[in-house]
């Protein structure tokens, strides 16, 4: 399924508003996307503004790929999540777009997480929006609309996004050169592509997968090594609560696969299938272990003694 078809299905309001604007050739000079998972959609608007193959972005032509590869010279992107958007950055946009177009086409500035702009930056931005210039388009994203000046909202085509579907997120991840295990894990653990980005192609995710594999293998075949291996590998390297919580979440997915492999269902960890096929455990036994893991994760929220909680969980297993 193409990105366009996926958007029709997962973001019908966004897609229809965009299609109506481009078909009527009444394209607003500023869009404001509200909701999670808006990065891909913001870039889709940018691609639609320069795509030469279709009314909306085909996502296949050279022009669309230039947006994906960040080599369209008249596109300026600033992310308010990485750092607060400041007045100087808005002034920089004005200075650059006052010059002749490098591409000979439209100029686009994309401000992500615009609610994280300073008051001075918001006011400078408002001045630009009050006097729009033909051929210059703004694309803004935010998750908290109440923190965006009403005067800015009134000068934008505001589009409320629907919660991102798991199928759409998996489609986005499949476009990356990552394993099926990684695609499945990220889709299960996170809601948006932005939340997944820091783990794509990361050593951290590979290391955690290995820890999950060794935990399950030790649990069923080398129980005498389980606690010492967790202490000397996982807990020695990863001391932050959020990292242990992520490990426990990934471990739950692995334990659930023990049900799935019995039913020939799709696995979260297809690369672990040979291990899962060797394991014999009752459904009640698997459920009991999953409940212990989930209870440990819950207790982590209120208890800072991570090694003690992990040891307790493993003893009870």
């Amino acid at each position: 399924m193409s990105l366009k078809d996926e958007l029709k299905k997962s973001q019908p309001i966004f897609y229809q508003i965009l299609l109506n604007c481009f078909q009527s050739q009444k394209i607003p000079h500023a869009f404001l996307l509200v909701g999670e998972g808006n990065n891909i959609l913001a870039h889709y608007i940018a691609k639609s503004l320069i795509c030469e193959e279709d009314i909306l972005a085909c996502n296949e032509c050279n022009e669309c790929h230039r947006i994906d590869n960040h080599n369209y010279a008249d596109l300026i992107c600033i992310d308010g999540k990485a750092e607060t958007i400041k007045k100087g950055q808005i002034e920089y946009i004005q200075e650059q777009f006052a010059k002749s177009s490098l591409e000979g086409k439209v100029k686009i500035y994309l401000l992500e997480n615009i609610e994280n702009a300073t008051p001075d930056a918001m006011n400078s931005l408002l001045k630009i929006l009050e006097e729009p210039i033909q051929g210059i388009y703004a694309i803004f994203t935010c998750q908290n609309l109440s923190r965006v000046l009403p005067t800015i909202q009134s000068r934008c085509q505001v589009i409320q996004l629907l919660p991102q579907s798991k199928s759409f997120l998996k489609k986005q991840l499949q476009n990356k050169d990552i394993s099926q295990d990684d695609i499945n894990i990220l889709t299960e653990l996170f809601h948006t592509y932005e939340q997944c980005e820091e783990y794509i192609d990361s050593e951290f995710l590979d290391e955690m997968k290995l820890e999950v594999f060794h935990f399950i293998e030790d649990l069923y075949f080398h129980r005498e090594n389980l606690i010492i291996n967790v202490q000397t590998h996982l807990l020695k390297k990863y001391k932050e609560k959020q990292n242990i919580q992520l490990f426990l979440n990934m471990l739950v997915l692995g334990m659930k696969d023990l049900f799935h492999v019995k039913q020939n269902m799709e696995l979260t960890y297809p690369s672990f299938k040979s291990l899962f096929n060797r394991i014999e455990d009752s459904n009640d036994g698997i459920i009991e272990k999953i409940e212990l893991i989930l209870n440990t994760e819950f207790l982590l929220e209120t208890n800072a003694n991570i090694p003690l909680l992990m040891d307790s969980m493993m003893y009870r297993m």
Side-chain angles (χ1 to χ4, degrees):
M1 185 183 295
S2 68
L3 176 59
K4 186 183 295 187
D5 290 336
E6 187 63 49
L7 289 176
K8 288 181 186 178
K9 178 181 176 181
S10 63
Q11 293 290 346
I13 298 172
F14 165 85
Y15 180 83
Q16 197 57 53
I17 290 175
L18 202 63
L19 182 63
N20 291 344
C21 291
F22 278 78
Q23 280 184 333
S24 65
Q25 297 185 343
K26 295 179 180 179
I27 304 171
H29 66 276
F31 291 89
L32 174 56
L33 306 183
V34 184
E36 293 185 335
N38 47 40
N39 175 276
I40 296 294
L41 304 183
H43 282 78
Y44 187 78
I45 295 175
K47 285 185 276 191
S48 296
L49 288 167
I50 67 169
C51 181
E52 296 178 344
E53 300 298 324
D54 207 341
I55 295 174
L56 296 182
C58 67
N59 211 45
E60 299 292 337
C61 70
N62 182 59
E63 294 300 292
C64 287
H65 288 318
R66 290 179 69 196
I67 296 292
D68 287 331
N69 297 328
H70 307 287
N71 64 3
Y72 182 76
D74 285 323
L75 170 65
I76 297 176
C77 297
I78 299 174
D79 187 358
K81 183 178 182 180
E83 61 177 346
T84 303
I85 300 172
K86 300 177 177 63
K87 180 180 179 181
Q89 292 171 299
I90 306 302
E91 292 174 340
Y92 171 78
I93 293 172
Q94 288 179 294
E95 292 169 3
Q96 293 301 307
F97 285 176
K99 302 173 184 177
S100 299
S101 170
L102 296 172
E103 298 284 351
K105 297 182 178 181
V106 300
K107 302 175 182 180
I108 308 165
Y109 58 106
L110 196 166
L111 305 184
E112 299 184 62
N113 300 287
I114 192 179
E115 67 265 47
N116 294 330
T118 65
D120 284 344
M122 286 270 195
N123 288 324
S124 294
L125 188 59
L126 180 58
K127 291 178 182 178
I128 300 177
L129 295 174
E130 286 175 339
E131 300 176 0
I133 299 173
Q134 187 174 2
I136 297 179
Y137 296 93
I139 305 170
F140 308 132
T141 75
C142 77
Q143 295 188 33
N144 189 344
L145 187 61
S146 65
R147 290 175 56 191
V148 180
L149 290 177
T151 44
I152 288 180
Q153 296 180 40
S154 67
R155 287 164 175 79
C156 299
Q157 172 65 66
V158 179
I159 306 178
Q160 293 277 354
L161 303 178
L162 298 175
Q164 197 173 82
S165 68
K166 289 292 185 183
S167 62
F168 183 51
L169 177 57
K170 181 170 282 192
K171 176 77 173 180
Q172 293 173 269
L173 293 170
Q174 287 170 342
N175 292 327
K176 297 294 179 180
D177 185 22
I178 59 177
S179 70
Q180 189 61 50
D181 286 31
D182 288 0
I183 291 171
N184 296 342
I185 292 165
L186 293 173
T187 302
E188 288 290 336
L189 296 185
F190 301 106
H191 300 293
T192 70
Y193 180 80
E194 288 78 9
Q195 293 171 329
C196 297
E197 276 187 302
E198 66 177 289
Y199 299 104
I200 294 174
D201 296 326
S202 72
E203 292 182 2
F204 176 82
L205 194 60
D206 288 336
E207 291 171 358
M208 282 298 180
K209 284 188 295 184
L210 193 59
E211 293 296 339
V212 169
F213 182 91
H214 287 154
F215 187 102
I216 295 175
E217 184 179 46
D218 286 345
L219 177 64
Y220 285 98
F221 301 109
H222 310 287
R223 187 176 289 266
E224 70 279 5
N225 298 331
L226 178 62
I227 293 177
I228 189 66
N229 282 342
V230 169
Q231 289 174 339
T232 56
H233 293 95
L234 178 69
L235 298 180
K236 185 175 181 180
K237 184 170 184 179
Y238 298 105
K239 303 182 186 301
E240 297 293 328
K241 183 186 299 185
Q242 64 184 34
N243 291 334
I244 302 303
Q245 287 175 321
L246 182 61
F247 166 77
L248 292 174
N249 284 330
M250 291 175 62
L251 181 59
V252 167
L253 296 177
M255 296 301 295
K256 287 181 177 179
D257 272 353
L258 296 180
F259 287 118
H260 300 157
V261 76
K262 292 180 181 180
Q263 306 297 326
N264 291 318
M265 296 170 61
E266 183 177 335
L267 303 179
T268 301
Y269 296 92
S271 65
F272 294 4
K273 187 174 181 180
S274 60
L275 170 63
F276 296 149
N277 280 330
R278 293 163 47 207
I279 293 173
E280 295 183 5
D281 199 350
S282 66
N283 288 346
D284 288 343
I286 298 170
I287 292 171
E288 182 180 351
K289 293 177 179 66
I290 291 174
E291 288 177 345
L292 280 170
I293 299 168
L294 292 173
N295 186 58
T296 301
E297 184 183 0
F298 172 76
L299 292 174
L300 274 177
E301 292 291 340
T302 57
N303 192 323
N305 195 327
I306 296 173
L308 185 61
L309 281 175
M310 291 294 287
D311 284 355
S312 174
M313 178 187 79
M314 290 182 285
Y315 277 120
R316 294 172 68 188
M317 282 183 165

